[in-house]
């Protein structure tokens, strides 16, 4: 076994085009570090519907140039198989370690395979890449990003020509092509021949951002903005300037791209502590709202002052605010959300006479809803301009929520006042999450197995009226690894995360409210229900 492992590592080393990972791997071989080599050569990073994502480092179980070249070659082979062998592939990248290298490797592979390749001019938000695919008539797009993962990670996200991320069976077909590559020597990689785009595509994207706002709408809300050490600042500030909003106050410590993310444990606005610097800036400047993007700027977080304290709005709260704003503006079409998002969107859509669709988790599914006009999911993702960007877009979402805050400001009202109105109109929809990060993935598998073998019959004193194992699929959903429990006045979904080593449980309690004065009691009841559901679910899952 030991000799076999060393032979595998030496074969990989011989092909590795990156001096940095070659040196790293050579040291491991020289030291005879069997456990570390075994971890890196235990298999290969699996290419799935999220593309690739993993820790940077040498070997097939890490993100590196060898893995990316194989992924690009697999994608190129798939496109040729689909009769798109002379098409354009557009490539974007964020500011993480190695992102630019991975983008150029992809361009070289596409060019070597006979496709045309175009690379965005510098690290830019993921939505700019999603826009560029449709704008340039590309057959596919690649975004090199690990979004809001820890600093040591990177990733590789693949879009097809419709501008939305891959879904089955394309992921399995690309994965099969990747597996068929015997040696990197078989993958032609010329030194040039691709195009580095200028700012024309970015300018077209920015011109399109204006379209999400209503002509002549109020533009007075003042914001504090953090880019979370990512690539959002320049594009968001330019979009706000074009729209005529007051210039955002920047959280200076997090404004510029920095792949080490020095001020946050996890560069995700949802993680504890990530918004502390933004809240400090808000206390100093008293804006109307705080806006944050994640590092690749496809997500948008919003915070407001509530009883003298700054607090993040939940993704579901922002999702319903944007929906209500679009309905009031006369939007037509389908309002879509993932199954883990709040059922309030369905109530808003139905009351407005609009089609509502629930999809599996992820914008790769939401973007494919028929006649999509607006889509969101609770993890801070919002698609407010599906004709321009068929994916979540943290820039246009920030514009739209700031427009809404401006309109409310003109009336002497706030986003919280509108949330109260929605609760009285449709019932208070309170959501929470039980999220368990694990070092050992078997903990997640054990919890799912336990819930399947010994399903709970009730939670928080409420009977479970319907229990669904989503691996079997439903009338409207393809199969996915998840469990859904419907209770009288509540709903729970349990699923393993697709991008992180986490078990995620999504909880919702719905409490009827007849008038505004009943809201405090309804909130207290909802908080009590959610806490009890969380406790009982933890026990049932053994976590």
């Amino acid at each position: 076994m030991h000799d076999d492992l060393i032979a595998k590592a030496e074969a990989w080393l011989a092909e590795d085009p990156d001096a940095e990972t070659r040196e790293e791997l050579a040291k491991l071989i020289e030291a005879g570090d069997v456990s570390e080599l075994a971890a890196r050569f235990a298999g290969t990073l699996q290419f799935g519907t999220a593309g690739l994502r993993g820790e940077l480092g040498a070997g097939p179980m890490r993100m590196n140039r060898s893995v990316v070249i194989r992924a690009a070659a697999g994608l190129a082979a798939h496109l040729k198989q689909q009769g798109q062998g002379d098409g354009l592939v557009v490539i974007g990248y964020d500011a993480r370690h190695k992102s630019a290298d991975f983008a150029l490797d992809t361009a070289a592979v596409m060019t070597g395979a006979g496709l045309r390749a175009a690379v965005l001019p510098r690290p830019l938000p993921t939505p700019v890449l999603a826009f560029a695919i449709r704008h340039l008539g590309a057959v596919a797009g690649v975004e090199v990003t690990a979004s809001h993962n820890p600093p040591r990670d990177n990733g590789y996200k693949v879009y097809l020509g419709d501008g939305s991320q891959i879904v089955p069976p394309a992921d399995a077909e690309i994965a099969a092509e990747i597996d068929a590559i015997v040696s990197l020597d078989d993958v032609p990689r010329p030194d040039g021949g691709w195009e580095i785009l200028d700012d024309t595509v970015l300018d077209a994207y920015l011109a399109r951002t204006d379209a999400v706002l209503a002509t002549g709408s109020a533009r007075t809300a003042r914001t504090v903005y953090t880019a979370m050490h990512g690539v959002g600042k320049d594009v968001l500030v330019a979009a706000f300037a074009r729209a005529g909003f007051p210039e955002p106050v920047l959280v200076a410590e997090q404004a510029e791209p920095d792949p080490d993310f020095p001020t946050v444990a996890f560069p995700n606005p949802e993680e504890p502590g990530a918004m502390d610097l933004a809240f400090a800036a808000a206390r100093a400047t008293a804006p109307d709202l705080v806006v944050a993007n994640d590092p690749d700027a496809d997500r948008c977080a919003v915070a407001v002052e509530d009883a003298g304290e700054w607090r993040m709005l939940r993704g579901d709260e922002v999702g319903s605010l944007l929906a209500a704003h679009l309905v009031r503006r006369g939007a037509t079409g389908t309002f879509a959300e993932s199954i883990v998002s709040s059922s309030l969107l369905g109530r808003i859509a139905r009351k407005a006479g609009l089609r509502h669709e629930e999809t599996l988790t992820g914008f790769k599914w939401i973007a494919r809803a028929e006649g999509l006009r607006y889509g969101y999911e609770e993890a801070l993702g919002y698609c407010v301009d599906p004709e321009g960007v068929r994916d979540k877009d943290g820039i246009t979402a920030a514009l739209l929520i700031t427009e809404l805050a401006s309109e409310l400001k003109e009336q002497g009202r706030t986003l919280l006042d509108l949330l109260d109105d929605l609760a009285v109109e449709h019932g208070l929809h309170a959501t929470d999450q039980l999220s368990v990060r694990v070092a050992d993935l078997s903990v997640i598998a054990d919890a799912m197995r336990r819930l399947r073998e010994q399903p709970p019959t009730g939670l928080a004193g409420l009977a479970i009226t319907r229990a669904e194992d989503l691996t079997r699929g439903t009338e409207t959903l393809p199969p996915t690894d998840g469990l859904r429990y419907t209770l009288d006045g509540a709903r729970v979904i349990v699923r393993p995360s697709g991008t992180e080593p986490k078990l995620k449980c999504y909880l919702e309690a719905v409490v009827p409210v007849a008038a505004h004065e009943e809201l405090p009691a309804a909130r207290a009841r909802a908080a009590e229900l959610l806490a009890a559901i969380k406790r009982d679910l933890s026990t049932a899952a053994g976590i």
Side-chain angles (χ1 to χ4, degrees), residues 23-113:
E23 185 185 346
E24 184 187 317
L25 187 53
K27 281 180 178 167
L28 292 173
I29 294 169
E30 197 181 327
D33 191 337
V34 176
S35 65
E36 186 60 30
L37 286 170
R40 288 160 184 254
F41 287 85
T44 56
L45 273 187
Q46 286 308 297
F47 186 92
T49 50
L52 293 167
R53 206 178 277 191
E55 190 180 338
L56 290 162
M61 288 296 286
R62 298 285 184 270
M63 281 297 294
N64 51 62
R65 290 183 59 197
S66 299
V67 164
V68 164
I69 289 164
R70 287 170 184 272
L75 173 60
H78 172 73
L79 292 170
K80 289 166 99 163
Q81 186 74 38
Q82 300 293 310
Q84 298 175 318
D86 57 353
L88 172 69
V89 178
V90 61
I91 302 149
Y93 58 103
D94 67 11
R96 283 177 179 265
H97 293 295
K98 299 282 183 190
S99 287
D101 293 345
F102 295 167
L104 292 175
D105 279 330
T106 302
V109 171
M110 296 302 160
T111 306

Side-chain angles (χ1 to χ4, degrees), residues 19 58 469:
D469 187 341

Side-chain angles (χ1 to χ4, degrees), residues 140 159 327 429 444 476:
Y159 296 76
V327 164
H429 290 62
I444 295 175
T476 54

Side-chain angles (χ1 to χ4, degrees), residues 67-331:
V67 164
V68 164
I69 289 164
R70 287 170 184 272
L75 173 60
H78 172 73
L79 292 170
K80 289 166 99 163
Q81 186 74 38
Q82 300 293 310
Q84 298 175 318
D86 57 353
L88 172 69
V89 178
V90 61
I91 302 149
Y93 58 103
D94 67 11
R96 283 177 179 265
H97 293 295
K98 299 282 183 190
S99 287
D101 293 345
F102 295 167
L104 292 175
D105 279 330
T106 302
V109 171
M110 296 302 160
T111 306
L115 289 127
R116 290 175 295 125
V119 184
L120 292 180
R122 58 185 172 280
L124 286 167
T126 293
V128 177
L129 181 274
F131 167 81
I133 295 164
R134 291 160 69 86
H135 182 68
L136 298 173
V139 297
V142 170
E143 176 70 18
V144 180
T145 180
S147 187
H148 55 276
N149 273 39
R152 284 299 304 161
D153 289 5
N154 213 329
Y156 197 81
K157 197 185 269 196
V158 175
Y159 296 76
L160 294 179
D162 62 355
S164 50
Q165 295 173 50
I166 54 167
V167 291
D171 56 339
E173 290 165 3
I174 295 167
E177 297 286 4
I178 295 170
D179 290 344
I181 296 156
V182 179
S183 163
L184 284 195
D185 297 337
D186 302 337
V187 181
R189 282 180 292 136
D191 292 332
W194 55 88
E195 183 186 359
I196 302 289
L197 295 164
D198 59 19
D199 275 356
T200 313
V201 168
L202 176 60
D203 293 341
Y205 168 82
L206 283 167
R208 177 99 210 166
T209 61
D210 301 352
V212 306
L213 303 175
T215 310
S217 62
R219 313 269 167 106
T220 53
R222 291 167 49 252
T223 54
V224 159
Y225 171 70
T226 175
M228 205 65 62
H229 299 297
V231 298
K233 182 200 73 175
D234 291 348
V235 179
L236 181 128
V237 168
F240 270 53
R242 288 180 67 102
F245 287 114
E247 189 178 346
V249 173
L250 300 178
V251 178
E253 302 94 326
Q254 298 175 334
E256 298 304 326
D258 186 333
D260 293 320
F261 303 103
T263 68
V264 288
F266 287 94
N268 177 356
E270 293 179 294
E271 292 283 347
M275 295 290 285
D276 288 357
L277 289 169
F279 292 164
R283 286 191 291 272
T285 57
D288 298 297
L289 70 165
V290 173
V291 173
N293 287 138
D294 67 337
D296 69 327
D298 62 352
R299 295 166 196 248
C300 176
V302 179
V304 294
E305 196 175 6
D306 186 1
E309 294 291 322
W310 283 90
R311 78 162 175 97
M312 279 267 292
L313 293 178
R314 291 189 163 276
D316 284 317
E317 291 176 309
V318 176
S320 54
L321 286 168
L322 291 174
H325 184 45
L326 288 168
V327 164
R328 205 187 53 71
R329 275 187 18 193

Side-chain angles (χ1 to χ4, degrees), residues 209-210 212-213 239-240 243 245 394-404:
T209 61
D210 301 352
V212 306
L213 303 175
F240 270 53
F245 287 114
I395 306 293
T396 47
L399 286 169
L400 198 62
I401 198 74
T402 308
E403 177 186 59
L404 173 57

